[in-house]
């Protein structure tokens, strides 16, 4: 690091002077975290007044649509601008062709309508991917050899995104990592009159080992049967490729890009933000959440301090926003 900062040598420069008191630490703080930076992922299930605990994610529950609407009101009151919606469908709704993904009366579509009716000012972000709806747990359609086919999958993703927009989703978030899907979805949204529907692309989504609890939560782990998604999600060893993925998605019409997972990939967040200078988001994924919770429950880490420090790290790296299961708790801590 260059030392030509224009500061004098010690003792003329004592950097601890700025740290000595609370007021001066606050005045020179470089990074700020607020509830405006948070997005809460929520899992929705069928039924009424139904909750299901997610065993691998302490404190996280799947909610029926009516309870989801109540939760949304709490989220709004905490100042959190948006939720990200993930449906957990019955096994009977899963198929080879994932047709339930774009059913106008499907679980996700009904949940969007209810959310926008209950709390219209809260942003609703929907997941565009087929893994909750395929009987093999992959994010796309599968050919006879077990390979996830690209173009045929994109056709279904377009239908899914259109059904979400028609239901009232403010933003669709393709998380599938198929090539060309952003351009196809953007063209379809424009053609259907949904020109203001935002696209948040999971542009740099890695084939990570940190997703296990999420797959439990949405019910795709059992269908996946130990398989992996390395043929379409990114190799964790690559960084330049992430820039190419983000740049392509932006050219195709994405309004913002996401890096996933979060904390193990903060170097990617930094590169994307510095080199592309676009709205950049990160997902503090289920495995990160579960690890933190395990440490909290064992008394190894201080819960409140670590939650806020972990989220501040995303902001410091350059993230404009963070999807996190700690969003409610963090927003309350920031209010206090």
């Amino acid at each position: 690091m260059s030392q030509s900062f224009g500061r004098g040598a010690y003792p003329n420069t004592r950097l601890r002077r700025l740290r000595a008191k609370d007021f001066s630490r606050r005045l020179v703080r470089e990074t700020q975290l607020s509830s405006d930076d948070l997005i809460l992922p929520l899992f929705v299930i069928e039924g009424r007044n139904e909750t299901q605990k997610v065993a691998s994610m302490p404190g996280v529950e799947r909610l029926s649509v009516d309870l989801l609407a109540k939760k949304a009101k709490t989220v709004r009151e905490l100042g959190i601008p948006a939720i990200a919606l993930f449906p957990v469908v019955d096994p009977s709704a899963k198929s080879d062709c994932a047709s339930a993904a774009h059913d106008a009366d499907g679980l996700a579509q009904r949940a969007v309508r209810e959310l926008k009716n209950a709390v219209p000012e809260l942003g609703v972000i929907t997941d565009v991917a087929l893994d909750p709806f395929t009987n093999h747990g992959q994010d796309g359609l599968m050919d006879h050899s077990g390979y996830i086919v690209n173009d045929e999958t994109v056709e279904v993703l377009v239908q899914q995104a259109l059904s979400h927009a028609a239901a009232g989703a403010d933003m669709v978030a393709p998380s599938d990592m198929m090539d060309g899907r952003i351009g196809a979805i953007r063209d379809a949204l424009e053609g259907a009159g949904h020109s203001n529907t935002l696209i948040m692309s999971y542009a740099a989504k890695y084939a990570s080992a940190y997703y296990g609890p999420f797959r439990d939560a949405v019910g795709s782990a059992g269908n996946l049967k130990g398989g992996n998604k390395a043929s379409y999600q990114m190799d964790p060893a690559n960084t330049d490729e992430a820039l190419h993925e983000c740049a392509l998605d932006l050219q195709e019409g994405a309004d913002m890009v996401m890096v996933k997972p979060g904390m193990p990939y903060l170097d990617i967040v930094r590169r994307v933000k510095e080199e592309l200078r676009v709205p950049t988001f990160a997902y503090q994924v289920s495995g990160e959440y579960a690890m933190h919770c395990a440490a909290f429950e064992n008394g190894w880490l201080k819960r409140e301090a670590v939650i806020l420090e972990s989220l501040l790290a995303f902001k410091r790296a350059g993230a404009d926003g963070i999807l996190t299961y700690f969003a409610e708790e963090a927003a309350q801590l920031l209010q206090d």
Side-chain angles (χ1 to χ4, degrees):
M1 183 174 65
S2 172
Q3 296 298 314
S4 57
F5 296 121
R7 288 185 181 271
Y10 172 88
N12 290 347
T13 297
R14 290 179 182 264
L15 291 176
R16 286 187 58 193
R17 277 197 292 261
L18 291 170
R19 307 173 197 151
K21 294 184 179 179
D22 177 68
F23 88 90
S24 57
R25 290 194 297 270
R26 290 163 56 198
L27 285 173
V28 301
R29 187 163 291 147
E30 299 173 30
T31 305
Q32 301 289 336
L33 176 71
S34 79
S35 59
D36 291 341
D37 301 314
L38 306 175
I39 298 169
L40 176 65
L42 289 171
F43 301 103
V44 62
I45 56 174
E46 296 284 5
R48 289 194 61 80
N49 199 33
E50 290 284 337
T51 64
Q52 298 174 356
K53 294 184 183 299
V54 180
S56 54
M57 300 176 69
V60 173
E61 294 181 325
R62 308 177 189 96
L63 303 173
S64 55
V65 174
D66 56 318
L67 296 184
L68 187 74
K70 292 181 180 179
K71 170 71 76 174
K73 294 177 182 179
T74 301
V75 171
R76 178 198 58 190
E77 290 166 1
L78 286 169
I80 296 169
I83 62 100
L85 185 64
F86 297 94
V88 185
V89 301
D90 189 87
S92 63
K94 298 174 187 279
S95 65
D96 287 338
C97 61
S99 58
H102 50 85
D103 183 348
D105 291 317
L107 177 58
Q109 291 80 355
R110 284 183 281 116
V112 169
R113 289 193 290 268
E114 184 65 27
L115 285 166
K116 296 310 296 183
N117 181 60
V119 194
E121 63 273 27
L122 183 70
V124 175
I125 305 168
T126 56
D127 182 49
V128 177
L130 304 186
D131 49 324
F133 305 96
T134 57
N135 50 23
H136 46 69
Q138 296 283 356
D139 292 34
L141 305 183
M142 184 183 291
D143 69 11
H144 67 277
S145 71
Y147 184 74
I148 303 305
V149 294
N150 193 92
D151 296 359
E152 295 88 341
T153 295
V154 169
E155 292 177 8
V156 182
L157 295 171
V158 167
Q159 295 179 65
Q160 185 182 26
L162 285 173
S163 73
H164 291 175
D170 301 289
M171 183 186 303
V172 293
S175 64
D176 55 285
M177 289 298 288
M178 298 297 117
D179 290 334
R181 90 276 203 214
I182 299 300
I185 290 170
R186 175 54 75 203
D187 287 346
L189 290 172
E190 290 288 334
H194 300 298
S195 59
N196 284 331
T197 302
L198 294 157
I199 298 177
M200 174 190 282
S201 172
Y202 286 61
K205 182 178 180 181
Y206 286 83
S208 171
Y210 284 86
Y211 302 146
F214 176 90
R215 291 172 183 166
D216 291 340
V218 297
S220 65
N223 300 104
L224 199 57
K225 297 177 181 177
N228 64 64
K229 303 185 179 185
S231 74
Y232 49 97
Q233 293 178 356
M234 282 186 53
D235 186 336
N238 295 352
T239 62
D240 289 343
E241 186 183 9
L243 273 293
H244 289 291
E245 287 280 8
C246 290
L248 284 169
D249 287 358
L250 290 162
Q251 289 173 5
E252 292 178 18
D255 299 285
M256 53 198 72
V257 293
M258 187 200 297
V259 175
K260 184 180 180 184
M263 192 171 287
Y265 294 83
L266 291 182
D267 60 319
I268 309 301
V269 175
R270 170 57 68 188
R271 284 200 67 188
V272 170
K273 187 62 178 178
E274 285 190 342
E275 298 187 33
L276 298 178
R277 299 186 180 276
V278 296
T280 303
F281 289 73
Y283 200 140
Q284 188 179 48
V285 299
S286 59
E288 298 172 69
Y289 175 85
M291 289 192 304
H292 279 107
C293 287
F296 301 153
E297 290 173 2
N298 281 283
W300 297 334
L301 293 174
K302 294 182 179 179
R303 184 181 184 97
E304 295 181 356
V306 167
I307 287 173
L308 293 181
E309 183 179 343
S310 71
L311 297 175
L312 189 64
F314 286 90
K315 291 292 292 179
R316 193 181 64 246
D320 296 289
I322 311 149
L323 285 82
T324 174
Y325 302 97
F326 290 123
E328 282 184 282
E329 189 171 354
Q332 187 63 63
L333 291 170
L334 291 165
Q335 285 185 3
D336 295 341

